[in-house]
Amino acid sequence: MNLSSFIWSVADLLRGKYKPHEYGQVILPFTVLRRMDCVLEPTKQAVLKETAKRDVSGDGVNHYLTRASGNTFYNTSPMDLKAIVGDQDNVAMNLAAYLHGFSPNVKDIFSRFKLEAQIDRLANADLLYLVTEKFSKIDLHPDKVSNADMGTIFEELIRKFAELSNETAGEHFTPREVIRLMVNLIFAEDDDVLSKPGVVRTIYDPTAGTGGMLSVAGEWVHEHNPKARLTVSGQELNDESYAICKADMLIKGQDVANIKPGDTLANDGHAHQVFDYMLSNPPFGVEWKQSEKAVRKEYEEQGFNGRFGPGLPRISDGSLLFMLHLVKKMRPLADGGARFCIVQNGSPLFTGGAGSGESNIRQYLLESDLVEAIVALPTEMFYNTGISTYLWVVTNHKLPHRKGKLQLIDASSFWQRMRKSLGDKRKELSPDHIDEITRIFCEFKEVRRDGVPISLIFPNESFGYRTITVERPLRDAEGKVVLGTKGKMKGKPMPDADLRDTENVPLSEDVEVYFEREVLPHAPDAWIDHEKTKVGYEIPFNRHFYVFKPPRELAEIDADLKVVTDRILTMIAGLSA
């Protein structure tokens, strides 16, 4: 039986005493507990021997116990899950004692799960022994279930629980093949550096979820260079996801002090830290009202010394705030620079006109020459949405041939149909698709297939424009131009607000030349109010990849219509016969 299905079968025990959306409150923490139970089993006696020698409440004992454990965590209780189910009358008491025997870094995990409250509830429902016994029979040691497989199991369980509670599973994790592509994109151009023996690099995810992105990045580096070390850091708002992420990192031997709980936007858990690489799939199309007070305060008081200096997007979508957050976290170029990949929906490409927060953020990113590439993914790639999504690759150390340019890659046709849909996810990237997209990115060339563009390269300024305000004179009832009588408008034609218009002029074009060509022939009395001119930036991704398909010949359409009409007439004749 599939392991995640076996764990899921615990739901059969809970049915009736728990509502379906509450199953995860039991199954997730017990899965983590059994995983840790299995990991600690081989060194259990060594830890107990060390515990007997020392005062476990004393300072410095952590060092001796972790050394005896062979892990970055330990448990000083003589109990384990198998022993606990062997004493059927005292399961609740022994399980509580077992939890208290864990090292402080693990106690925090089960505190986030609120596991002790669930133990009481299960005991009162006469379910505690049955649930504990079921989990005690599963072997979740890493030798049997790899870290990668364990991550997939957690993600599958969370997706199921999210569906039951009508939550959005996509807030918790990203499809593994999308993460692999993102990891390829941030590491590909640093292949030589990452191949050096003993190289140490840092990676960070401000929306860490269950830690999938950090895990896949770690696997990539280890496979590429076993002598390299990747130090991971992250922050996660959801308590259950944070607990799973922290548990996963503990088992892998990472320093879990780098995994922080809480709201990244309102309370940065890694303030003043910078990183070599970063990955993120922030919630998009989601309001940032809960973070608004802290974000606006930082914006107004710190400006560019803080994270949000370039501007704030509209309150309905905070995804660009995470973009700015990551930009601030980039290791400075003088220290080697940084690169990150972030998932965004279509909104950050074009939402907001000149002078808006979104446009100002795009202007900052492009004029600072930070955006390396934007990759359009197929629709129906994510579990909670079928909309179009885009990967932004951002760096402050572009290679010389990339400087001042932005590569757009339309990978929307790179997909294969899944055998079984998962929520809204019906398509997936194959390993060949990932390799092909990575190759197109690395080669940095324009690519067309059968006349259809796949990769296009533009100078950054081609996405900029000036919004000019075109005024026409106010006229009185007799049609005469009304002149101003005071101030700077004295003796000059007064503008007619009803006739006011705006034009977007590409940055690459002279405003006066454009005005003479496009406006004056139609409105000879018009003029530009230069004081109202604003600079804007947008990235009309789909427009650049649109391929015109000429309509069919009229005779062909007529022939099809005749066939349909004849069929209808035949059907009518048959009914009236």
Side-chain angles (χ1 to χ4, degrees):
M1 182 187 284
N2 179 280
L3 186 55
S4 63
S5 298
F6 181 69
I7 297 171
W8 181 254
S9 69
V10 176
D12 293 334
L13 298 174
L14 303 177
R15 192 167 287 115
K17 300 293 178 70
Y18 277 75
K19 294 177 181 176
H21 72 268
E22 296 177 315
Y23 294 165
Q25 297 170 15
V26 173
I27 293 175
L28 290 172
F30 267 88
T31 304
V32 171
L33 181 62
R34 180 56 178 154
R35 175 73 162 178
M36 291 186 159
D37 194 51
C38 292
V39 169
L40 293 177
E41 185 179 2
T43 56
K44 181 78 175 175
Q45 294 308 313
V47 171
L48 293 178
K49 197 176 291 184
E50 195 67 40
T51 302
K53 285 193 230 171
R54 306 181 184 279
D55 173 10
V56 294
S57 63
D59 293 335
V61 72
N62 187 69
H63 166 72
Y64 297 103
L65 295 179
T66 51
R67 188 172 65 180
S69 163
N71 295 282
T72 55
F73 63 101
Y74 54 84
N75 188 300
T76 58
S77 166
M79 307 298 291
D80 59 17
L81 287 191
K82 288 181 179 176
I84 288 168
V85 296
D87 184 2
Q88 189 169 346
D89 295 331
N90 296 295
V91 173
M93 181 180 70
N94 289 336
L95 197 51
Y98 182 49
L99 289 178
H100 291 156
F102 275 110
S103 49
N105 50 10
V106 175
K107 286 179 183 175
D108 175 55
I109 291 170
F110 294 117
S111 171
R112 299 279 171 179
F113 277 127
K114 301 179 178 63
L115 181 54
E116 290 199 33
Q118 293 304 323
I119 289 173
D120 290 342
R121 184 176 173 184
L122 287 166
N124 291 332
D126 294 326
L127 289 172
L128 184 58
Y129 172 76
L130 295 172
V131 169
T132 308
E133 182 195 36
K134 195 154 188 96
F135 275 99
S136 71
K137 293 179 177 178
I138 311 169
D139 188 353
L140 295 182
H141 191 277
D143 289 345
K144 296 285 185 182
V145 184
S146 71
N147 288 323
D149 288 342
M150 198 72 231
T152 302
I153 289 167
F154 278 127
E155 290 173 357
E156 188 176 336
L157 290 171
I158 285 177
R159 183 186 60 77
K160 287 182 177 179
F161 298 138
E163 287 175 355
L164 289 171
S165 59
N166 293 320
E167 292 178 0
T168 49
E171 286 183 8
H172 297 289
F173 64 102
T174 310
R176 285 292 165 124
E177 83 274 13
V178 174
I179 300 175
R180 291 188 187 99
L181 173 59
M182 295 172 72
V183 167
N184 274 14
L185 295 176
I186 63 168
F187 288 151
E189 296 204 333
D190 293 348
D191 191 76
D192 292 344
V193 175
L194 292 170
S195 298
K196 294 177 180 176
V199 66
V200 179
R201 287 292 182 270
T202 56
I203 190 163
Y204 167 67
D205 182 351
T207 52
T210 58
M213 289 191 171
L214 299 174
S215 295
V216 174
E219 291 161 13
W220 190 99
V221 170
H222 182 73
E223 289 171 10
H224 189 77
N225 179 6
K227 294 183 179 179
R229 188 159 66 88
L230 193 65
T231 302
V232 304
S233 298
Q235 187 163 350
E236 173 54 33
L237 178 62
N238 178 280
D239 269 351
E240 287 184 347
S241 296
Y242 163 77
I244 290 171
C245 179
K246 187 174 179 180
D248 187 39
M249 296 303 155
L250 261 181
I251 291 166
K252 290 173 181 171
Q254 289 283 352
D255 181 2
V256 292
N258 295 332
I259 307 298
K260 306 286 187 181
D263 182 342
T264 302
L265 297 179
N267 185 19
D268 181 7
H270 299 83
H272 312 300
Q273 287 181 254
V274 292
F275 302 94
D276 300 303
Y277 302 102
M278 292 170 279
L279 295 164
S280 179
N281 177 16
F284 36 75
V286 175
E287 283 191 351
W288 49 281
K289 241 181 178 44
Q290 290 184 330
S291 315
E292 183 179 9
K293 185 177 178 182
V295 168
R296 288 199 184 278
K297 183 180 179 185
E298 182 174 335
Y299 171 70
E300 291 164 4
E301 294 181 1
Q302 298 185 41
F304 278 86
N305 291 324
R307 294 171 290 169
F308 311 116
L312 301 178
R314 63 199 65 197
I315 199 74
S316 59
D317 189 351
S319 55
L320 274 172
L321 293 176
F322 286 95
M323 179 88 75
L324 292 177
H325 171 80
L326 290 178
V327 167
K328 193 67 178 178
K329 294 291 182 189
M330 290 197 294
R331 188 176 299 286
L333 180 58
D335 298 330
R339 178 177 286 108
F340 70 80
C341 186
I342 184 172
V343 184
Q344 302 272 268
N345 63 357
S347 176
L349 293 168
F350 51 78
T351 298
S356 68
E358 293 90 347
S359 177
N360 290 343
I361 293 168
R362 287 190 293 269
Q363 180 177 357
Y364 171 76
L365 293 170
L366 290 167
E367 290 187 352
S368 301
D369 198 19
L370 294 174
V371 188
E372 202 163 25
I374 299 174
V375 181
L377 295 177
T379 56
E380 301 178 336
M381 284 293 293
F382 287 79
Y383 302 96
N384 67 323
T385 179
I387 66 171
S388 298
T389 47
Y390 300 81
L391 303 181
W392 290 56
V393 185
V394 180
T395 184
N396 58 1
H397 65 110
K398 284 187 179 182
L399 294 174
H401 64 282
R402 285 188 180 269
K403 288 186 184 296
K405 296 173 183 175
L406 170 56
Q407 182 180 20
L408 302 182
I409 301 173
D410 182 8
S412 61
S413 62
F414 291 59
W415 58 272
Q416 62 187 24
R417 182 70 63 182
M418 294 177 65
R419 273 182 259 176
K420 182 183 177 184
S421 298
L422 295 173
D424 288 314
K425 181 173 173 59
R426 297 175 179 86
K427 300 174 184 175
E428 63 185 359
L429 299 171
S430 71
D432 287 344
H433 291 140
I434 294 171
D435 290 344
E436 179 73 354
I437 296 167
T438 305
R439 185 186 61 75
I440 290 170
F441 168 74
C442 290
E443 289 182 353
F444 193 61
K445 294 177 181 176
E446 296 208 335
V447 178
R448 291 178 181 271
R449 287 185 186 153
D450 301 321
V452 177
I454 302 293
S455 169
L456 298 173
I457 297 168
F458 300 90
N460 291 336
E461 60 268 20
S462 66
F463 301 105
Y465 61 90
R466 292 182 186 87
T467 295
I468 61 171
T469 301
V470 177
E471 301 283 15
R472 305 267 313 268
L474 180 67
R475 298 177 185 272
D476 60 23
E478 298 176 2
K480 293 181 180 179
V481 174
V482 178
L483 301 179
T485 58
K486 55 185 178 181
K488 62 180 183 180
M489 294 303 295
K490 188 174 182 179
K492 295 180 180 178
M494 292 293 291
D496 186 340
D498 291 336
L499 296 177
R500 183 174 295 142
D501 200 1
T502 58
E503 295 274 340
N504 288 342
V505 184
L507 285 182
S508 57
E509 187 161 359
D510 184 274
V511 168
E512 297 297 340
V513 172
Y514 176 93
F515 182 71
E516 288 179 14
R517 184 184 74 243
E518 299 293 337
V519 178
L520 288 182
H522 311 287
D525 57 357
W527 72 92
I528 300 173
D529 184 346
H530 290 285
E531 290 185 1
K532 294 179 181 175
T533 297
K534 295 177 182 177
V535 174
Y537 275 79
E538 67 173 12
I539 304 171
F541 196 103
N542 292 336
R543 189 195 308 163
H544 289 300
F545 289 92
Y546 173 73
V547 176
F548 174 73
K549 292 182 179 178
R552 292 189 299 160
E553 292 292 331
L554 192 57
E556 187 182 342
I557 296 172
D558 283 342
D560 284 351
L561 285 172
K562 187 175 186 308
V563 170
V564 174
T565 304
D566 290 346
R567 189 184 305 142
I568 293 170
L569 291 172
T570 302
M571 290 169 65
I572 292 171
L575 289 171
S576 60

